[in-house]
Amino acid sequence: MNALSPPSHLPDVPVVAIVGATGVVGQALRDSLLLRKFPLRELRLLASARSAGQTLTFRDTQIPVQTLNEHSFHNVDIAFFAAGAAVSREFAPIAVAAGARVIDNSSAFRMDGDVPLIVPEANARALTPDARIIANPNCIAAILTTALAPLHARWSITRLSLATYQAASGGGAAMMEELRAGTTAALEGKDFTPQVLPHPYAFNFFSHNADVDPQTGYNGEESKVIAETRRILEQPHLPIGVTCIRVPVMRAHGIALSVRFSDHVSTESIQRAVADAPGLRLVDDRARNHFPMPSEASGQEDVLVGRIRSDLGDPSGRTITMFVVGDQLFKGAAQNAVQIAETLRDMVA
């Protein structure tokens, strides 16, 4: 896939396009470009025909939304895709043929061996100057491997066990609105029939709504987390157990995580590694019972890590448990994509 077009120079101030500009990840991409002060000469906003004619604000400028078509990528240097796998499979090769670098938020290319799957804090070395399509991971895999990066760099990880607590933002604008509407109805004592999710969302939680494999019992979200985490950490046979749960939180995913190492690792050394790592913020105040929360992670670039302690169920002392929370729309999607663009720009400028 990355051989569709030869490598080219990437300008210091590129022309940038966002495919799926009107969705929640498209909005988060605009926010992240601003927050990180990413230099660009022009921002091109692309979406389906039904969104054409809207205008969206960027840097105090109103930019019209254009209909995505085969001519959309003329003179584009970097194209962020945030419109689903089918759109990416159709239009990413067109963008590459036009000379653009594609950073794709969908699942379309994540397990393609010719396409790097990148979390800059964890595996920036896997990004090469000739990459034409770069995959952005699943939101949990991105948040998880950011938290694991400083540990993986220092110690040998032999097993991961995790349960996720995933917010409505992971399902897009429709799911977020269903949570709002369902909560309002519940508070008012009114009936509410869910349309997006299979179960009532307000004041409830349930297994992630991805399809379940009847043979393994794992749903699609869990399978993605396992496969993508292994690929990012470059440990193809790493044992990973995961249960993904949808919780009634608007934004920011939580992960209850147990990490087994090949040797004993102290909680103090884990805390120091987290405190010193880029992209992480240690929130681990036992005296005040203050640990990572979605309310404090939402809208933040850092992934919060805390509740770090030895697993009393492992008498060998090789297992550490912790709680991780990251903003699904930022580190779990848009911010990670912009960080990939920054890394690529520095590499090929």
Side-chain angles (χ1 to χ4, degrees):
M1 183 63 65
N2 281 324
L4 285 173
S5 182
S8 64
H9 172 75
L10 191 61
D12 290 336
V13 186
V15 175
V16 173
I18 298 176
V19 177
T22 58
V24 291
V25 175
Q27 170 66 62
L29 278 163
R30 285 184 284 131
D31 292 343
S32 194
L33 288 167
L34 285 170
L35 188 63
R36 299 185 68 83
K37 297 181 173 60
F38 188 86
L40 55 88
R41 186 165 74 254
E42 175 192 345
L43 181 62
R44 200 170 298 177
L45 303 179
L46 306 170
S48 64
R50 66 178 178 273
S51 297
Q54 294 185 34
T55 58
L56 301 174
T57 303
F58 183 76
R59 292 179 180 168
D60 299 322
T61 300
Q62 294 294 310
I63 302 176
V65 176
Q66 304 175 36
T67 301
L68 174 65
N69 60 49
E70 63 272 22
H71 306 296
S72 295
F73 302 99
H74 178 65
N75 290 333
V76 169
D77 299 302
I78 298 173
F80 295 104
F81 274 66
V87 172
S88 294
R89 291 190 188 100
E90 179 179 359
F91 284 97
I94 294 172
V96 168
R101 308 269 184 161
V102 169
I103 301 172
D104 181 41
N105 277 276
S106 82
S107 62
F109 307 108
R110 289 175 184 160
M111 299 310 295
D112 185 328
D114 293 328
V115 176
L117 178 69
I118 300 297
V119 175
E121 293 89 346
N123 69 334
R125 65 186 178 279
L127 184 60
T128 59
D130 61 343
R132 307 301 296 183
I133 298 178
I134 304 100
N136 209 33
N138 166 276
C139 47
I140 288 292
I143 294 166
L144 172 63
T145 55
T146 300
L148 289 173
L151 315 184
H152 181 57
R154 290 168 174 79
W155 302 288
S156 175
I157 294 173
T158 61
R159 180 175 175 82
L160 300 175
S161 299
L162 56 142
T164 73
Y165 306 86
Q166 295 184 225
S169 56
M175 192 175 294
M176 296 171 79
E177 180 54 35
E178 182 151 295
L179 177 56
R180 288 189 191 95
T183 302
T184 298
L187 291 172
E188 293 177 353
K190 297 178 180 178
D191 292 334
F192 182 83
T193 302
Q195 303 296 320
V196 178
L197 287 164
H199 310 292
Y201 201 3
F203 305 103
N204 192 26
F205 58 87
F206 42 84
S207 181
H208 193 282
N209 50 296
D211 292 339
V212 177
D213 183 325
Q215 299 301 316
T216 66
Y218 279 71
N219 63 46
E221 183 78 355
E222 293 159 347
S223 298
K224 289 178 187 177
V225 171
I226 293 170
E228 294 176 30
T229 299
R230 286 172 171 169
R231 188 171 181 215
I232 294 163
L233 297 181
E234 298 177 347
Q235 290 186 248
H237 305 293
L238 179 65
I240 302 176
V242 57
T243 299
C244 292
I245 302 296
R246 186 73 76 184
V247 297
V249 170
M250 194 60 69
R251 179 170 173 168
H253 292 346
I255 306 169
L257 173 64
S258 291
V259 186
R260 178 174 290 180
F261 299 93
S262 59
D263 299 296
H264 177 271
V265 178
S266 70
T267 57
E268 293 78 12
S269 61
I270 297 289
Q271 289 170 327
R272 287 194 297 270
V274 168
D276 293 340
L280 300 182
R281 176 153 57 93
L282 182 65
V283 182
D284 202 35
D285 188 341
R286 295 182 182 182
R288 296 194 303 129
N289 196 11
H290 183 189
F291 303 109
M293 296 180 284
S295 60
E296 294 184 350
S298 294
Q300 302 300 308
E301 291 192 293
D302 286 343
V303 171
L304 311 186
V305 181
R307 201 85 214 281
I308 298 169
R309 61 206 190 280
S310 294
D311 185 346
L312 298 180
D314 180 4
S316 73
R318 294 182 294 128
T319 304
I320 297 289
T321 64
M322 62 191 74
F323 195 61
V324 177
V325 181
D327 187 300
Q328 182 273 327
L329 292 176
F330 273 178
K331 189 55 192 176
Q335 174 193 324
N336 195 74
V338 174
Q339 287 179 278
I340 291 171
E342 293 169 343
T343 304
L344 186 63
R345 183 194 62 205
D346 293 343
M347 184 179 294
V348 300

